[in-house]
Amino acid sequence: MSDNIIKVPDLGGDGEIIEICVQVGDRVEAEDSLIVVESDKASMDVPAPFAGTISEILVKVGDTASEGLEMVKLSADTAQTKQSESVETAAEPEPAPESNPAPSASSPANAESETLVKVPDLGGDGEVIEICVQVGDEIDAEDAIIVVESDKASMEVPAPFAGTVTEVLIKTGDNAGEGVPMIKMKTGSAPAAAQPTASAEPQPAPIEPSQNETAKPTAAAAAAAAADSQIISTRNKKVHAGPSVRRIAREFGVDLGEIKGSGPRARILKEDVQEFVKTRLKQPVQAAPVATTGSGIPAIPSIDFSKFGPVKEVALTRLQQVGGANLHRSWLNVPHVTQFDEADITEMEAFRKAQKEQGVKMTPLPFIIKACTTALKRMPQFNASLNPDGTALIYKEYCHIGFAVDTPDGLLVPVIRDADKMGLQELSKQMVELAGKAQQKKLSPAEMQGACFTISSLGSVGGTAFTPIVNAPEVAILGVSKAGLKPVWDGSEFKPRLMLPLSLSYDHRAINGADAARFTTLLSKLMGDIRTLLL
Ligand code: CAO
């Protein structure tokens, strides 16, 4: 065992250490994350260059991670010491040895040096179907140099760094096997992102951007590019587009199948996507996405139903369109799970009916809202939202409850503010008032905002269970179905009990399954004995 000081490699700029992923005594494998660094562009894991045991940590969260900063001491196994020495050298800002370049590019050692860029490992051979550069072109890192087509996919081979093309050594029709020279490039300076890392030799990758950046023509990057730039069929149409164009299209939610490419072989260029988005923005509001979705999701083919029989097309109301788009967004973004349960509301119903006889009309819903606010107080993780990047839970110290109202124009969700501070009668009054306003289209935007948790009651309609869609960024929604009499075993005999079906859908990123089961169990308990609501 020997101690090796592991230093921060060239990250292409400074960043702040936001996480230390190891502790003294930890055994790490090569490539395991040591620290996470955040710059203004991305957060990146800095991996261990070889396997070993952490003997000392030399940095702390908040430190500036500059190139050469000593991060940890790593005791390598004896067998690995030799490799570790070269690793430490590699972590120093020294040029890569010219004699053993990575398969993709020889590293530019000096400013203005000419660099031979070769085809990286693409996971198999393919035919060059397009040359994307000419002599004299100034290209950026990741710009496509050639397009290779195999029997599985077409893929762009990106430039490993920015520079000027000085010679093109490959032509269409050539076989693009690993190591085939593609172009020569002149670089102004030795760029960090272009440092060749992955190769047949297990060299340490100095850094791996965690945000899906593929700056280096590694085997993994090539595979990702291959997957990304596969010729996909959208609306029964083949599209040619590279990874960067596909990324932009995904960001804008654009279906590439709708775009006519202006590049060679109808290839879709960045400008085509930008132009498409500009044109779309000028058009009136789009209907909720039905046949096409973007985000790389296969589109549902549009069908002429009149081929099969008479049809009539009726436009969705604006409310249905907007509501549909919101539901679709939640459905796509939130990993949903639904927890089912039943509450014995026999006693609650007896109380409600007694109240009714005395002239206090109330449906079960105010009781359900009351039970929910009480449960939300006890389990505040349900009265919360994930922050936008999903790294923290924002707990709300208020408790506003949304409830779904079915109107002829579509679904509306008015919000009862500070529902936790109200008694049953006040809740009932608010509910009736807001539901009435919803029916008459008189709800103000403020009356539909700020909910922490939503209830969707189909109890007056029927059904035994359903899976409601979480009203994101809320983290859970309670679906309520129709209560019915069921024989329930009380330990000595079956008794007829009025059972209320509950369906709790939740965002599994924020809520774990056990807590969801605890929440519905708590709700059942509270509704089973409404005296507990007073506690
Ligand atoms: N089980 C059995 N009976 C129920 C019940 C339940 N879970 N919930 C309500 N009922 C009964 C009520 O008690 C009432 O009967 P009585 O007059 O005899 O007391 C009857 O059903 C009608 O109730 P209601 O619909 O007038 O009142 P509500 O408080 O239950 O609901 C509101 C109000 C606005 C939520 C409801 O009218 C509504 O719009 N629900 C639809 C919500 C919806 O569409 N959700 C789906 C969203 S996802 O697409």
Side-chain angles (χ1 to χ4, degrees), residues 352 356 361-365 368 403-406 411 431 435 439 456-460 466 480-483 500:
R352 190 181 74 85
K356 206 170 161 186
K361 188 173 165 10
M362 245 188 267
T363 67
L365 197 51
I368 297 168
F403 64 103
V405 178
D406 183 28
L411 193 67
M431 228 191 64
Q439 297 293 354
S456 176
S457 172
L458 291 174
S460 63
F466 64 110
V480 181
S481 298
K482 194 176 181 67
L500 179 73

